[in-house]
Amino acid sequence: MSKLYIVPTPIGNLEDMTFRAIKVLNEVDLILAEDTRTSGKLLKHFDITTSMQSHHMHNEHRMIDQIIGKLKRGETIALISDAGTPAISDPGFLLTRSCVEQNIEVDCLPGATAFVPALVNSGLPNDKFVFEGFLPVKKGRQTRLKFLAEETRTMIFYESPHKLIKTLGHFKEYFGEDRQVSVSREISKLHEETIRGTIDEVLAHFEIKPPKGEIVIILSGKKK
């Protein structure tokens, strides 16, 4: 029976791979991978020999019909990203939506997602939160920050290391230097680190120690 599996992969420590994820990747007809070189190392580590095909942000639009065709012919396909859960700031949404529209079964396995441990580790309120992912790089960035300045729930952002200081500077400008923030990087990896404090304090830290690795920012909401 045709089915699309959305399979989370470790964001760092390979021991976070689930038994079920390994089983699914071994049993499907095809694995769609964001970067076949990166995923090739993961599959080799777990002795998974299933065929792979590249599926990333630059080709996902033109590949949808081809993949849907395979699924309609009865194939089972797994979608993985370089790390974490596909479709969370990674390719996957378009394919999932197309499958839903075509009445093709979709099964998303539970597993690694960077923002969950970052949110819990932050010590900031997590009963209600909003996931913003990556902010607009240029167009719309100022408008979005102005809008979020009134947000009362905890906010979650993804950021690259070379843009972190600039982003924290924007946070200081739009949210105020005393707003609480937590920055987690290299989650589950050897040099995992979480820095907490006011925006001003955390910005000062990273100005002295330039950040490396994948980064999740947890920002407290505006006080009611």
Side-chain angles (χ1 to χ4, degrees):
M1 184 177 177
S2 63
K3 183 186 288 189
L4 174 69
Y5 290 94
I6 309 297
V7 182
T9 55
I11 56 176
N13 194 322
L14 292 180
E15 292 181 2
D16 292 334
M17 190 75 166
T18 68
F19 291 120
R20 186 181 173 205
I22 296 170
K23 182 175 184 290
V24 167
L25 293 180
N26 267 311
E27 293 179 349
V28 294
D29 298 305
L30 176 68
I31 296 172
L32 301 175
E34 186 178 2
D35 186 326
T36 54
R37 294 166 299 179
T38 299
S39 296
K41 297 174 184 176
L42 176 74
L43 300 192
K44 183 178 180 181
H45 180 83
F46 290 105
D47 296 320
I48 298 168
T49 58
T50 307
S51 296
M52 272 194 299
Q53 185 175 326
S54 180
H55 183 80
H56 48 72
M57 63 180 294
H58 301 296
N59 73 357
E60 60 178 334
H61 286 84
R62 67 175 183 269
M63 285 184 62
I64 296 292
D65 290 343
Q66 177 193 130
I67 297 167
I68 292 296
K70 289 177 181 290
L71 288 163
K72 284 186 172 181
R73 289 193 294 272
E75 294 188 33
T76 53
I77 297 176
L79 174 66
I80 60 177
S81 62
D82 290 347
T85 300
I88 304 295
S89 293
D90 273 326
F93 164 69
L94 294 178
L95 180 56
T96 300
R97 182 179 64 182
S98 294
C99 286
V100 171
E101 291 172 347
Q102 298 288 333
N103 293 316
I104 296 169
E105 188 175 357
V106 178
D107 188 355
C108 181
L109 278 61
T113 301
F115 77 78
V116 174
L119 175 62
V120 175
N121 282 338
S122 72
L124 295 172
N126 56 27
D127 55 330
K128 293 182 176 65
F129 57 87
V130 290
F131 177 76
E132 286 292 317
F134 290 97
L135 284 166
V137 177
K138 293 181 181 178
K139 187 178 181 181
R141 187 180 182 93
Q142 185 180 35
T143 302
R144 192 64 192 164
L145 288 169
K146 284 182 178 179
F147 175 80
L148 291 173
E150 300 303 315
E151 176 60 65
T152 58
R153 294 167 293 181
T154 299
M155 292 165 273
I156 302 168
F157 303 88
Y158 285 167
E159 191 52 278
S160 61
H162 66 278
K163 293 180 181 176
L164 177 63
I165 290 174
K166 180 180 179 180
T167 295
L168 288 175
H170 287 157
F171 284 4
K172 181 177 178 178
E173 178 183 351
Y174 288 93
F175 305 123
E177 62 182 26
D178 294 326
R179 184 79 70 93
Q180 291 293 308
V181 69
S182 174
V183 175
S184 293
R185 66 179 193 87
E186 296 289 81
I187 295 171
S188 85
K189 298 178 183 177
L190 181 62
H191 300 292
E192 180 175 357
E193 176 184 52
T194 295
I195 303 298
R196 309 172 185 86
T198 64
I199 292 175
D200 209 33
E201 291 168 341
V202 173
L203 176 58
H205 170 86
F206 285 112
E207 284 176 336
I208 296 172
K209 294 183 177 180
K212 296 180 181 179
E214 301 298 322
I215 289 168
V216 184
I217 307 170
I218 310 296
L219 180 69
S220 61
K222 181 180 181 180
K223 290 183 179 181
K224 296 180 182 180

